Amino acid sequence: MGNKWVNTQRAPEHRTAVGLVTVTETRNFTSAPPCSASHTLQEMGYDFKDGKLVSISNGLDATDHRACTGSPSESLLKSVSDYVETYLEEQMNFRKILLPLNAKPSQPTSYIYVSDNASTSKKLLLLIPASGQGGPGVWAPSVVVDKGLDAGSQIPYIKRALSDGYGVVCLHPNGGNVMTDGKRTSVKYHEDSKQHLRYVWDHVIMKTKASRIAVGANGDGGGAVVDLMSTRPKQVRRKLFAVALSDAADNCFTSAGNAANKRFLNIVRVAYTNAT
């Protein structure tokens, strides 16, 4: 009997967490309709056209339109993130997994997104945004607003990974504090990016069949990877074969700790890139 993540019904504001290993539903997304989250953007006067966020009223892209309206609002950034998450579900057949696994209905939860082949693929790509507003599928919603989905979202990386036979796991290191009854509450095991990655590694990644794991991390997401190397050295060195870092990647070497970690990180790192 293989490992399974039990389906968990949540309150109406949460989508259902679907088992990672056993997925019985199959859908063809080749001609799928537009993401259902787009109506929220439309209510705010925006929509995506050819991957760019544009104003519905005048057709200008969001950057030109904001020259008059100012910085993007928190609600717009949230709507952009929601759009990407819905895109992952409706267009790419990703599944939302609530964390901690088997949480009680009253317990605050975070979540990740996984591709439908994540449990069975021999290769996995983990995508980790930096602390701040980034979430599953999104490096930075403000960059999506200014430069489009190709620059600010993880969608291009996900498409490439899937085409190369990888399973994909989109982490959510910024989901560790949620509003519950009007109060901000920490999610157990997910208080920060390091704890989040540790939990996902132990309870999700290690339950898959992947023997080769690559990581794309932005900002202090790289620090979470270094922390994982220090706390689970044998597992990480056995499975991790590539790390791509962006923004403050050099700090990873400062925090890498012992010489063995630094040598390993120097071997597996494949790129340092600047933020777009």
Side-chain angles (χ1 to χ4, degrees):
M1 181 176 178
N3 293 300
K4 292 185 179 181
W5 287 265
V6 179
N7 292 351
T8 306
Q9 296 294 330
R10 303 296 294 176
E13 67 268 21
H14 294 284
R15 281 170 281 210
T16 302
V18 181
L20 181 57
V21 171
T22 303
V23 179
T24 57
E25 180 184 16
T26 58
R27 292 181 288 174
N28 180 2
F29 289 99
T30 302
S31 57
C35 294
S36 58
S38 63
H39 76 278
T40 304
L41 284 171
Q42 291 170 356
E43 290 171 356
M44 300 182 71
Y46 293 95
D47 206 351
F48 281 101
K49 181 179 180 181
D50 299 325
K52 300 288 187 179
L53 191 65
V54 299
S55 168
I56 295 174
S57 63
N58 56 24
L60 293 175
D61 68 42
T63 304
D64 293 337
H65 187 66
R66 282 203 298 107
C68 298
T69 61
S71 299
S73 65
E74 291 295 323
S75 57
L76 176 58
L77 296 177
K78 176 66 165 58
S79 294
V80 166
S81 294
D82 289 346
Y83 178 94
V84 173
E85 290 185 16
T86 306
Y87 184 95
L88 293 179
E89 290 186 356
E90 297 184 356
Q91 308 291 330
M92 305 188 77
N93 206 22
F94 271 59
R95 296 292 184 263
K96 184 178 185 177
I97 306 298
L98 299 180
L99 304 173
L101 300 173
N102 302 318
K104 297 178 181 179
S106 60
Q107 184 177 348
T109 58
S110 184
Y111 59 91
I112 58 174
Y113 275 90
V114 301
S115 61
D116 61 359
N117 66 335
S119 65
T120 57
S121 177
K122 297 296 184 182
K123 301 182 294 183
L124 277 182
L125 172 64
L126 313 185
L127 297 174
I128 311 172
S131 296
Q133 296 175 335
V138 181
W139 296 121
S142 59
V143 178
V144 174
V145 171
D146 287 342
K147 298 185 179 182
L149 291 168
D150 282 352
S153 83
Q154 298 167 0
I155 292 173
Y157 302 86
I158 294 169
K159 288 182 175 179
R160 174 63 184 271
L162 293 175
S163 69
D164 288 344
Y166 285 79
V168 180
V169 178
C170 297
L171 281 79
H172 189 17
N174 297 304
N177 290 281
V178 298
M179 295 299 294
T180 304
D181 297 328
K183 298 180 180 179
R184 189 158 294 279
T185 306
S186 295
V187 179
K188 190 176 182 180
Y189 310 122
H190 300 274
E191 286 86 349
D192 57 39
S193 60
K194 294 178 181 178
Q195 293 186 54
H196 178 64
L197 179 56
R198 290 180 204 164
Y199 186 92
V200 173
W201 180 272
D202 292 342
H203 296 275
V204 178
I205 305 306
M206 292 303 293
K207 307 299 184 182
T208 70
K209 295 182 179 180
S211 58
R212 291 172 59 78
I213 296 174
V215 174
N218 185 37
D220 57 3
V225 176
V226 170
D227 172 78
L228 194 70
M229 290 167 47
S230 298
T231 57
R232 284 110 173 111
K234 292 182 179 180
Q235 294 176 355
V236 172
R237 291 174 190 173
R238 185 172 70 249
K239 291 178 176 288
L240 189 66
F241 76 95
V243 178
L245 304 170
S246 65
D247 281 359
D250 287 330
N251 292 338
C252 290
F253 273 95
T254 303
S255 61
N258 61 54
N261 281 345
K262 292 180 179 179
R263 286 195 300 269
F264 179 74
L265 186 59
N266 191 53
I267 292 170
V268 299
R269 63 180 176 137
V270 295
Y272 280 169
T273 58
N274 294 322
T276 53

